[in-house]
Amino acid sequence: MGVVGVLALQGSFNEHIAALRRLGVKGVEIRKPEQLQTISSLIIPGGESTTMAKLAEFHNLFPALPVGQKEGGQELVGGLDCTVHRNYFGSQIQSFEAELVVPELASKEGGPETFRGVFIRAPAVLDVGPEVEVLADYPIPSNKVLYSSSAVEIEEESAVPEKKVIVAVKQGKLLGTAFHPELTADTRWHSYFLKMASDLGEETSNAVVAVSDAASSSDPQTIYDLPIFR
């Protein structure tokens, strides 16, 4: 098992490190791009995405990590091939917990067929590309419809068909959840990621070299193509 880094710019990075500790794994706080050389996988805690992006840019971490996922038009670390709606379920006061059906997680990690998801100003994945595996979704009541970033009740329950939004995905070496697995005592998502990263680590190297927009060809920027849990 390689060293697991936890991006420690903002968000619940201490809780992620505690979850890793319960699994017997030491998590290392990551704040500088050169620290990425010392780890084999990276956990990016949930948090306020605009603040996280500004801090990552300030610490020069963006050029060293794969980027490409779009959330509300903002470029984020990760590169997942999906469309994400920020604050899909509403504001902070509309945060909630829900039992999610997680067959893939239960199959690989054992335990119950459900996981208690903690949603805090949570996003939702609206659609995914062909290489993305959906690991969990959440049903939206039929009397809810999305306007802007709020779930607004309408009068006629039958007016909107029941739908589901995606709340956990995997694509290659990337794992993402819309909820906070570190805020529960259930460590199965962390264990799942560690095994996923370990399997991938046997097949691929951690880093590829590329030239960033700000660098000349004689000064390449190393992009650390790490397994990422976000």
Side-chain angles (χ1 to χ4, degrees):
M1 175 70 64
V3 178
V4 182
V6 180
L7 192 65
L9 300 180
Q10 190 249 0
S12 51
F13 56 88
N14 284 322
E15 287 80 359
H16 277 289
I17 289 174
L20 292 171
R21 190 182 303 120
R22 293 197 294 273
L23 293 169
V25 176
K26 182 180 180 181
V28 177
E29 295 181 11
I30 302 297
R31 293 185 175 88
K32 299 178 181 179
E34 55 267 27
Q35 291 178 286
L36 297 171
Q37 301 176 42
T38 66
I39 63 175
S40 60
S41 57
L42 179 67
I43 295 175
I44 302 177
E48 212 294 310
S49 58
T50 301
T51 302
M52 188 86 73
K54 288 180 178 178
L55 288 170
E57 185 175 4
F58 177 79
H59 289 279
N60 201 33
L61 277 162
F62 263 152
L65 289 170
V67 174
Q69 180 185 355
K70 295 285 186 178
E71 183 176 349
Q74 182 182 32
E75 193 170 47
L76 297 178
V77 172
L80 284 167
D81 183 13
C82 60
T83 301
V84 177
H85 194 295
R86 299 177 66 183
N87 301 339
Y88 181 90
F89 298 100
S91 65
Q92 186 87 12
I93 62 172
Q94 293 167 303
S95 301
F96 65 98
E97 297 183 18
E99 293 292 333
L100 306 172
V101 178
V102 287
E104 165 72 3
L105 187 69
S107 173
K108 294 292 177 62
E109 299 299 323
E113 290 287 325
T114 60
F115 182 91
R116 187 77 174 171
V118 179
F119 293 82
I120 302 173
R121 288 184 63 191
V125 178
L126 303 184
D127 69 333
V128 298
E131 303 299 317
V132 178
E133 180 181 357
V134 175
L135 301 180
D137 53 31
Y138 179 73
I140 303 299
S142 58
N143 64 337
K144 299 281 187 180
V145 63
L146 184 68
Y147 290 107
S148 184
S149 61
S150 301
V152 181
E153 292 203 20
I154 58 175
E155 293 182 3
E156 297 184 22
E157 185 171 327
S158 60
V160 179
E162 185 173 41
K163 61 176 288 188
K164 292 182 178 182
V165 292
I166 300 163
V167 294
V169 294
K170 180 175 77 169
Q171 180 184 353
K173 59 180 65 179
L174 307 176
L175 177 66
T177 64
F179 48 91
H180 288 263
E182 76 281 6
L183 298 184
T184 75
D186 190 338
T187 58
R188 287 182 295 165
W189 283 107
H190 291 81
S191 178
Y192 182 86
F193 174 67
L194 292 174
K195 292 174 183 175
M196 184 184 93
S198 179
D199 291 343
L200 288 166
E202 294 174 0
E203 302 172 7
T204 61
S205 62
N206 285 338
V208 294
V209 176
V211 179
S212 69
D213 291 339
S216 68
S217 59
S218 61
D219 183 24
Q221 168 71 55
T222 300
I223 299 177
Y224 293 93
D225 192 20
L226 299 162
I228 291 178
F229 182 11
R230 184 177 191 276

